[in-house]
Amino acid sequence: MICVVYISSAKLGLTHSEIINIVEDSRINNEKNGLTGVMLFNSGNFMQLLEGEDSTVDALYKKIEKDRRHTEVKLLLREPITHRNFSNWTMGFKNIEKLKETKPELLNSFLTDDFNFSVYQKNPYRALEFLETFKRII
Ligand SMILES: Cc1cc2nc3c(=O)[nH]c(=O)nc-3n(C[C@H](O)[C@H](O)[C@H](O)COP(=O)(O)O)c2cc1C
């Protein structure tokens, strides 16, 4: 199995309901394909972690790279794993912007910088830790 983490920028004007469609379709597909993971959205950017069989994850990542609903897809990490870290999630999802409005207290323990996904390009392992911590509040 492998784990892939990438960041990307939503297409200009992508609506909340289009994002929800991506998540709902992903949950159905991922269930079929034995994939699990998590996706965060903040300030127009996505960060997604996918885990599953090597060829399944690689094939989906190739599709995702070409998806016109986002641009600047940047791979942060592609690593072999021995077990899943998100086995309960066909695609866990949090829109941080909504969370800021509804449950600001949940974000207290994070730094503002933690939500600027581009910082993880310099330290992809921090992205893993961040997503792992985030698991608690999804
Ligand atoms: C940010 C983002 C995340 C996505 N995540 C997934 C995912 O986890 N699983 C999935 O099947 N498709 C995901 N997609 C959609 C794929 O790019 C693609 O549209 C989908 O797999 C259907 O492909 P198909 O029509 O060739 O079957 C994502 C798209 C975007 C923009």
Side-chain angles (χ1 to χ4, degrees), residues 5-119:
V5 181
Y6 72 84
I7 54 171
S8 67
S9 302
K11 177 194 77 173
L12 213 63
L14 193 76
T15 63
H16 179 64
S17 69
E18 285 175 297
I19 296 174
I20 296 303
N21 281 342
I22 294 175
V23 176
E24 285 176 352
D25 291 347
S26 296
R27 285 180 176 152
I28 295 167
N29 290 340
N30 293 353
E31 166 106 60
K32 268 191 247 154
N33 298 326
L35 294 174
T36 47
V38 61
M39 182 159 87
L40 300 179
F41 181 78
N42 188 50
S43 301
N45 298 302
F46 292 105
M47 178 156 64
Q48 189 179 28
L49 178 151
L50 292 160
E51 54 190 18
E53 287 312 318
D54 305 21
S55 57
T56 318
V57 174
D58 285 335
L60 176 60
Y61 182 71
K62 271 193 195 135
K63 272 191 203 174
I64 290 177
E65 264 188 314
K66 292 190 199 118
D67 197 307
R68 300 177 77 130
R69 291 170 287 184
H70 64 174
T71 57
E72 295 174 75
V73 183
K74 292 179 187 127
L75 185 68
L76 299 189
L77 199 92
R78 181 190 178 281
E79 277 213 333
I81 49 168
T82 53
H83 66 279
R84 291 175 194 259
N85 276 312
F86 293 87
S87 52
N88 294 333
W89 309 105
T90 51
M91 190 43 60
F93 175 69
K94 267 292 167 220
N95 183 338
I96 312 290
E97 279 153 27
K98 296 270 173 210
L99 207 58
K100 277 182 205 153
E101 289 164 23
T102 55
K103 294 200 171 137
E105 70 282 0
L106 287 180
L107 302 176
N108 284 348
S109 60
F110 296 103
L111 307 171
T112 315
D113 220 24
D114 291 336
F115 296 106
N116 175 8
F117 301 152
S118 62
V119 300

